[in-house]
Amino acid sequence: MDTNPLPTTLIDKAETGQRPGMFIYNQFDQQLIDERVAQFRDQTQRYLAGKLSEDEYLSLRLMNGIYVQTHAPMLRIAIPYGLFSSEQMHMLAHISRTYDKDYGHFTTRQNIQFNWLKIEETPDLLADLASVQMHAIQTSGNCIRNTTSDPLAGVAADELEDPRPYCEIIRQWSTLHPEFAHLPRKFKIAVTGAQKDRAVTLIHDIALSLVKNETGEIGFKVSVGGGLGRTPMIAQTVRPFLEKQHLLSYLEAVLRIYNLKGRRDNKYKARIKILVGSMGVEAFTKLVEEEWLKIKDSMILDQAEIDRVKADFAPFAYEKNIDPKMLEQHTTTNPTFARWLDHNTSDHKVPGYRVVHVSLKSPLAAPGDISATQMDITASLAEQYSFGLLRSTYDQNLVFADVKQSDLFDLWQALDEADLATPTIGTLNDMICCPGLDFCALANASSIDVAADIQKRFQQLDYLYDLGDIDLKMSGCMNGCAHHSIGHIGILGVDKKGVEWYQFTLGGFSENEAKLGQRLGRAIAKADVADTVEKIAQVYIEQRQANERFVDTFYRIGIEPFKGRVYESH
Amino acid sequence: MKVINNRQIVDDSWQAIDDESNIKQLPDNKIIISLAFWNKHKQSLTARDDALGITLNPEDDVAEIAADLSSFALVVLQFPAFRDGRAYSQARNLRLHYDYQGEIRASGNVLRDQLAFMERVGFNSFEIDDHQDINDAINGFDEIEVKYQASSDESLPLYKRLTV
């Protein structure tokens, strides 16, 4: 265990892994995660001593993020709403070296997973995490999971209000909530405060969107019953406007109705989307509102509490008058840099700053994977260039949210050297992909090698850029962890008599509204998947008008031309 | 049988009554009956002197017995499997919406590692599952002291408790 000591900078700061710009734990927040580690250590010891059955321990370890996968136990660590610090990232590097095989995998839910652990070491690992205010509480199991949010929260120009304080308030309310620790199925909440929904909220069990009502007050639009998997559904609005002070009482009412009425006889019909779907949204809403009326006045969320949490997310003291000359010069003289700048950075609400998207889609690694060395490098770069904070994103990349324009060239060089600057953000090669058959016990088919085939096929950057924004998502089974149903191009791995096949859907999307993709036709053999993607791309190139995106062309011409091309020779 | 009542291991003083029992031959004792038995023999049962307990199944709506709650010194809620968490909301409803002050007992697959959650929502009596050691289970209550949310044990969320 001592072979990889923590970097000395981290030991100095071991008192706290947190920084201005993120929620800072007080003694109670810290005490809770420390107590949870001690409790889990005891549970694990009782299991190893044979006092807890496999089944009983399974539920307890799931509540702490530990699955048993194909090769070894996997641990999913919570990154609340995707925001974490350099110290925390260094700790993740330390964990991957000490307990795992020197890498980790970022998920679509902004968390990170480690795949090669030993059960008996997990309590020590969790204690290490708690030393930097991190935990794995409720990252799996039939309970309220990590609340996800917009990776550009607080820096996006299209934002009405920063959603993260509300995410943190929800994190605290949902953490070890006694009534909702044994729900019919997992429960996911997402919050967004921007015009563009970068958190795909409508595929969550509860989607909260900050909106303004006719009197100018900001509150939440509440939608319920989204989810992917076997029965993909888009969340439906149950309350167009909810005052902030009622946030927690409303959540509590929804959860109480679901806990009592959700199906428990069939795990594939146990999500709240099935309850809402079978009752109808009106009947469901009526039940929720009745319950809510009874509890709302006793559960007021005080403005003082909102303000207390908000204070931790206050904007940084941004520099003014940053000289644009250097950036302009580098852009003119270095086309590779210019290309990266164009594709891997986006607008910041403050002039002189940009948001940098750190690509975890290198053709040399599985989508979302990051090595221990890259973890340390990104932690140090965030420290140097972005106030010591990082964000993980829905599309399995990282973000440095607050980079000065004048630092971009130096940052790019450092990222490029670490293979973290693949200039394909938002393109077809920036695909979302689950771990698939290679790691996951649930998977029917592999996804990582197929992803690599596709990325190789589209490695010509000019060709890739010409295709523009295409959202490709690939899951290794029906559970749909990579959200294939809402990909512009969705690919689902299935197993037919021991052979891996791939079903395509086209036209899914998730922006301000969301829509599920339509099935292209019969499943495709593994060897033909990359070919099929290419044929689909060709149809788009031939048929598109002016600046039309792939998905817009699809909705104009329909699925038939794609079907015709893909299946013509079969 | 031993049960945990208000965090003490004690002998169970209640006797469960079969639905087939003859209403005229009930023991002179504290008895627990089903909702069906109650609905069938409400009148004779209310005439008895001894305390009454009632068992609800997870699918029963506690509102069904709301008007009769004063008749019951005990409500037993069932955990057919520890994963089936409906009884948590049933217990919470009893305390929160009906201000039920009697005993609420957890029965079925009741395990040490869920006791703290159960106690928080309003259970104060626990029939520990046969295969677990009740002397060990009783250590399960205080492992986590920090409680963010209000529930049946704390009427205010943590932040309000701190600022009061």
Side-chain angles (χ1 to χ4, degrees):
Chain A
M1 289 259 183
D2 297 331
T3 49
N4 288 292
L6 295 175
T8 48
T9 51
L10 182 54
I11 290 168
D12 293 343
K13 288 175 186 162
E15 298 257 326
T16 171
Q18 297 167 307
R19 297 190 161 234
M22 71 191 296
F23 179 74
I24 308 285
Y25 274 25
N26 65 23
Q27 56 168 315
F28 299 102
D29 303 309
Q30 183 70 46
Q31 186 187 336
L32 186 141
I33 63 167
D34 291 342
E35 287 175 337
R36 182 70 183 105
V37 173
Q39 183 186 44
F40 186 70
R41 192 182 292 282
D42 179 62
Q43 290 168 341
T44 302
Q45 279 162 0
R46 282 188 280 135
Y47 164 69
L48 295 172
K51 288 184 193 163
L52 271 177
S53 72
E54 197 69 50
D55 186 49
E56 288 158 16
Y57 183 66
L58 174 127
S59 165
L60 299 173
R61 64 172 163 74
L62 285 178
M63 293 271 289
N64 229 347
I66 299 167
Y67 289 77
V68 173
Q69 293 288 40
T70 311
H71 305 288
M74 178 205 96
L75 173 69
R76 182 181 294 144
I77 293 165
I79 300 179
Y81 35 96
L83 181 65
F84 59 126
S85 70
S86 292
E87 290 79 8
Q88 291 175 331
M89 184 60 126
H90 278 305
M91 177 54 86
L92 295 174
H94 162 77
I95 281 170
S96 78
R97 291 191 177 107
T98 310
Y99 304 99
D100 205 278
K101 296 190 175 181
D102 296 359
Y103 74 99
H105 173 79
F106 279 98
T107 75
T108 57
R109 305 209 67 257
Q110 303 181 300
N111 295 320
I112 185 167
Q113 296 179 176
F114 292 103
N115 276 308
W116 303 89
L117 304 170
K118 297 190 184 76
I119 282 281
E120 58 275 21
E121 290 183 358
T122 49
D124 289 337
L125 189 168
L126 293 167
D128 285 354
L129 277 182
S131 74
V132 293
Q133 295 74 51
M134 294 187 93
H135 62 77
I137 295 170
Q138 290 166 217
T139 53
S140 60
N142 294 336
C143 49
I144 304 170
R145 304 288 189 86
N146 183 26
T147 299
T148 53
S149 189
D150 183 350
L152 304 190
V155 298
D158 68 342
E159 189 170 83
L160 185 61
E161 190 180 329
D162 189 340
R164 294 170 302 173
Y166 304 100
C167 294
E168 177 57 29
I169 286 167
I170 294 169
R171 182 189 78 82
Q172 296 185 18
W173 162 80
S174 62
T175 297
L176 303 183
H177 195 302
E179 188 180 343
F180 308 132
H182 299 86
L183 296 168
R185 199 76 175 83
K186 58 189 171 185
F187 202 93
K188 300 170 179 177
I189 303 174
V191 192
T192 176
Q195 297 271 309
K196 184 173 175 186
D197 185 355
R198 285 170 290 259
V200 289
T201 58
L202 292 175
I203 58 156
H204 290 74
D205 296 280
I206 296 182
L208 295 168
S209 168
L210 283 152
V211 292
K212 211 178 247 183
N213 69 5
E214 57 279 10
T215 65
E217 185 191 353
I218 296 177
F220 297 98
K221 181 171 102 170
V222 185
S223 310
V224 178
L228 297 178
R230 274 161 212 254
T231 320
M233 288 194 195
I234 306 300
Q236 304 182 69
T237 307
V238 296
R239 183 160 256 277
F241 188 85
L242 177 73
E243 293 169 279
K244 289 173 182 173
Q245 61 172 345
H246 297 311
L247 174 63
L248 297 183
S249 56
Y250 209 84
L251 295 179
E252 189 129 326
V254 172
L255 265 296
R256 186 163 297 142
I257 298 302
Y258 170 56
N259 191 38
L260 286 167
K261 308 263 182 203
R263 281 181 65 173
R264 290 176 186 264
D265 58 330
N266 178 344
K267 76 179 245 193
Y268 300 114
K269 298 193 182 233
R271 293 283 293 271
I272 198 172
K273 63 189 174 185
I274 304 289
L275 179 67
V276 175
S278 65
M279 297 181 76
V281 71
E282 293 81 13
F284 175 81
T285 304
K286 186 166 171 280
L287 283 182
V288 168
E289 296 266 329
E290 279 168 9
E291 177 64 24
W292 178 60
L293 284 176
K294 292 192 233 168
I295 61 176
K296 70 189 200 32
D297 293 335
S298 62
M299 279 190 75
I300 298 288
L301 173 61
D302 293 346
Q303 186 59 43
E305 173 65 359
I306 296 175
D307 292 342
R308 174 185 80 100
V309 177
K310 254 188 182 174
D312 282 350
F313 297 93
F316 296 109
Y318 292 108
E319 285 177 35
K320 292 197 175 98
N321 309 318
I322 293 165
D323 188 0
K325 277 203 206 77
M326 283 295 278
L327 179 65
E328 281 161 20
Q329 199 186 327
H330 286 305
T331 317
T332 337
T333 56
N334 192 322
T336 318
F337 169 65
R339 194 173 61 192
W340 174 84
L341 184 70
D342 194 24
H343 289 274
N344 286 27
T345 72
S346 56
D347 292 341
H348 191 290
K349 67 180 181 186
V350 176
Y353 284 79
R354 284 196 76 74
V355 175
V356 169
H357 299 258
V358 178
S359 170
L360 300 183
K361 305 294 170 64
S362 158
L364 304 177
D369 275 10
I370 182 167
S371 71
T373 310
Q374 288 175 321
M375 290 183 214
D376 278 331
I377 289 170
T378 52
S380 302
L381 291 173
E383 168 93 54
Q384 198 174 349
Y385 297 113
S386 196
F387 297 96
L389 292 179
L390 303 99
R391 297 155 185 234
S392 48
T393 72
Y394 163 67
D395 46 17
Q396 297 178 292
N397 292 307
L398 296 174
V399 156
F400 294 158
D402 302 280
V403 181
K404 268 188 288 188
Q405 275 182 9
S406 48
D407 287 336
L408 285 169
F409 187 75
D410 292 343
L411 174 57
W412 167 70
Q413 286 185 311
L415 287 173
D416 192 40
E417 203 172 309
D419 196 26
L420 293 164
T422 307
T424 60
I425 298 289
T427 68
L428 188 141
N429 274 2
D430 188 16
M431 60 184 73
I432 294 184
C433 182
C434 72
L437 198 56
D438 295 309
F439 295 99
C440 179
L442 301 172
N444 298 125
S446 50
S447 40
I448 295 174
D449 53 346
V450 182
D453 275 356
I454 298 170
Q455 284 179 332
K456 213 165 170 189
R457 185 66 62 100
F458 293 90
Q459 63 188 339
Q460 273 297 328
L461 286 176
D462 289 337
Y463 180 30
L464 190 65
Y465 294 157
D466 182 45
L467 293 171
D469 292 350
I470 300 188
D471 193 11
L472 188 147
K473 302 183 197 295
M474 179 159 49
S475 308
C477 78
M478 294 270 253
N479 291 306
C481 292
H483 302 168
H484 60 274
S485 333
I486 51 164
H488 296 169
I489 300 176
I491 305 178
L492 162 65
V494 292
D495 172 283
K496 287 189 191 170
K497 297 180 184 148
V499 181
E500 297 161 72
W501 289 82
Y502 295 83
Q503 266 170 15
F504 277 65
T505 45
L506 299 182
F509 67 93
S510 54
E511 288 160 20
N512 295 339
E513 46 174 338
K515 208 158 191 170
L516 303 170
Q518 301 166 29
R519 188 137 157 221
L520 183 66
R522 63 179 185 275
I524 304 283
K526 187 170 182 174
D528 298 329
V529 169
D531 266 350
T532 303
V533 177
E534 188 156 19
K535 284 177 185 165
I536 292 166
Q538 282 164 2
V539 173
Y540 162 61
I541 289 173
E542 291 161 17
Q543 302 261 2
R544 70 182 164 189
Q545 297 176 349
N547 293 322
E548 205 173 45
R549 293 183 311 162
F550 170 80
V551 70
D552 301 321
T553 303
F554 174 83
Y555 277 101
R556 184 172 50 77
I557 67 175
I559 200 161
E560 289 308 324
F562 296 95
K563 212 178 238 183
R565 181 72 53 90
V566 169
Y567 296 106
E568 65 191 349
S569 56
H570 291 270
Chain B
M1 187 181 68
K2 299 274 188 197
V3 292
I4 299 177
N5 275 359
N6 299 313
R7 297 199 183 190
Q8 304 284 324
I9 299 173
V10 297
D11 284 315
D12 187 15
S13 56
W14 291 89
Q15 184 179 350
I17 294 300
D18 202 276
D19 271 1
E20 310 306 315
S21 304
N22 186 334
I23 183 70
K24 301 211 167 72
Q25 291 168 8
L26 294 177
D28 287 331
N29 205 345
K30 291 157 70 176
I31 57 169
I32 302 172
I33 52 166
S34 72
L35 179 59
F37 197 80
W38 167 253
N39 284 333
K40 201 166 158 193
H41 303 293
K42 207 180 268 195
Q43 235 171 2
S44 338
L45 288 166
T46 21
R48 283 168 52 94
D49 289 335
D50 296 302
L52 267 184
I54 189 165
T55 289
L56 296 183
N57 290 320
E59 62 275 16
D60 294 333
D61 187 345
V62 298
E64 273 197 64
I65 56 162
D68 301 332
L69 273 173
S70 58
S71 303
F72 305 117
L74 170 73
V75 177
V76 182
L77 301 174
Q78 298 292 337
F79 292 88
F82 71 88
R83 281 193 181 77
D84 185 337
R86 285 174 286 184
Y88 291 97
S89 288
Q90 289 177 312
R92 183 81 176 113
N93 274 342
L94 283 171
R95 299 285 190 221
L96 180 69
H97 296 324
Y98 303 106
D99 196 27
Y100 180 66
Q101 303 286 328
E103 192 173 330
I104 302 182
R105 174 176 292 188
S107 176
N109 193 200
V110 177
L111 307 172
R112 167 184 165 152
D113 294 287
Q114 281 81 44
L115 295 186
F117 288 140
M118 291 176 185
E119 188 182 54
R120 289 214 61 205
V121 298
F123 287 96
N124 53 359
S125 175
F126 308 89
E127 278 173 30
I128 302 298
D129 195 290
D130 292 343
H131 81 276
Q132 278 203 348
D133 178 2
I134 194 167
N135 298 299
D136 177 55
I138 200 156
N139 298 316
F141 288 104
D142 277 330
E143 290 169 344
I144 310 254
E145 284 181 26
V146 179
K147 299 166 173 86
Y148 279 126
Q149 325 71 6
S151 193
S152 301
D153 59 339
E154 296 281 1
S155 59
L156 297 173
L158 178 66
Y159 78 86
K160 284 194 190 176
R161 276 174 261 147
L162 295 178
T163 51
V164 162

